[in-house]
Amino acid sequence: MSVSTSVTARRMVAAALAAGAMIGSTAVSASAAEPRFERTHVAISRVQSDAPGFDDRSSRSLNAEWVEITNSARRGVNLNGWTLSDEDGNRYTFRHYRLAGRSTVRIHTGFGRDTSRDLYQDRRNEVWDNHSDVATLKNDRGRFVDSVSWGRHHDRDHGRDDNRGHGDNRGHGDNRGHGDNRGHGDNHGHGDNHGGGHRGL
């Protein structure tokens, strides 16, 4: 084989490789442009929509109505700007709060002092419907993260709703060993490690 033939062959191979690289680059760019579902280890783990006893709108009654959100990953997640809403459009926005890894935060309806484990919406009325409602969690870009439904919505499709046990709405176990949580008080004994304050809308 002559030198010129060899060089020509190499040039042909190089051209083919360059063309393949361009095609591959175009494919990657197109794929990157497509919207993708954002995976997260943060999810709604439990809901108590019906506070034990009488719903008299007292601080004790309102704070016994809550939603728990759990981060199952080892690393913490910044929840600043995330929202938790009900079916009627009532929305709570997390402000300057970071959920530590492998931990849970409980969002109460009434007034209280925010800590790393307990946050308060500072509302004077109940939010969650005792009989039927949908709790939806979205990130700071408005993208769906998780939802839990109960009552007449229980069999409807609401994203990642995985039927986390909303029996009598008194400590809705998530079928992961939480039980019915009726004896679960509001005093967790958790220190204010992060000081994640917020005020709902």
Side-chain angles (χ1 to χ4, degrees):
M1 179 181 292
S2 65
V3 174
S4 60
T5 304
S6 178
V7 170
T8 301
R10 287 201 299 273
R11 286 177 178 173
M12 290 176 65
V13 171
L17 290 174
M22 291 180 64
I23 294 172
S25 176
T26 302
V28 170
S29 299
S31 175
E34 295 176 359
R36 293 179 296 178
F37 179 76
E38 196 169 294
R39 295 184 179 181
T40 177
H41 293 283
V42 178
I44 299 172
S45 50
R46 287 195 290 176
V47 175
Q48 179 160 285
S49 62
D50 187 1
F54 295 103
D55 293 334
D56 55 5
R57 297 183 182 178
S58 64
S59 178
R60 180 177 182 179
S61 176
L62 291 173
N63 287 333
E65 177 185 278
W66 44 257
V67 174
E68 286 188 344
I69 296 175
T70 298
N71 175 17
S72 59
R74 288 187 296 177
R75 300 181 62 178
V77 177
N78 183 8
L79 299 187
N80 185 45
W82 287 43
T83 60
L84 178 66
S85 61
D86 69 352
E87 186 185 28
D88 293 331
N90 295 304
R91 184 175 61 182
Y92 162 80
T93 302
F94 292 84
R95 299 296 186 192
H96 311 296
Y97 179 78
R98 183 177 182 83
L99 181 57
R102 293 178 177 171
S103 63
T104 296
V105 60
R106 175 175 289 187
I107 299 91
H108 304 268
T109 297
F111 285 79
R113 178 175 177 269
D114 293 337
T115 69
S116 61
R117 297 294 181 88
D118 292 274
L119 298 176
Y120 298 83
Q121 298 194 47
D122 294 347
R123 295 180 182 273
R124 299 185 184 279
N125 297 298
E126 294 84 357
V127 172
W128 309 108
D129 190 290
N130 294 347
H131 306 292
S132 177
D133 211 337
V134 182
T136 301
L137 180 67
K138 293 183 179 181
N139 66 15
D140 57 336
R141 287 171 288 184
R143 293 185 178 179
F144 175 87
V145 175
D146 193 23
S147 73
V148 171
S149 62
W150 58 96
R152 68 177 182 273
H153 302 284
H154 191 67
D155 295 325
R156 290 169 54 183
D157 181 18
H158 288 282
R160 246 179 34 69
D161 179 12
D162 56 1
N163 300 328
R164 275 164 273 194
H166 299 273
D168 60 0
N169 290 328
R170 283 188 168 80
H172 307 285
D174 57 2
N175 298 326
R176 296 173 202 171
H178 295 287
D180 68 358
N181 198 42
R182 296 187 203 186
H184 195 70
D186 292 326
N187 180 14
H188 307 282
H190 302 295
D192 190 355
N193 299 324
H194 300 269
H198 93 288
R199 285 296 178 268
L201 297 181

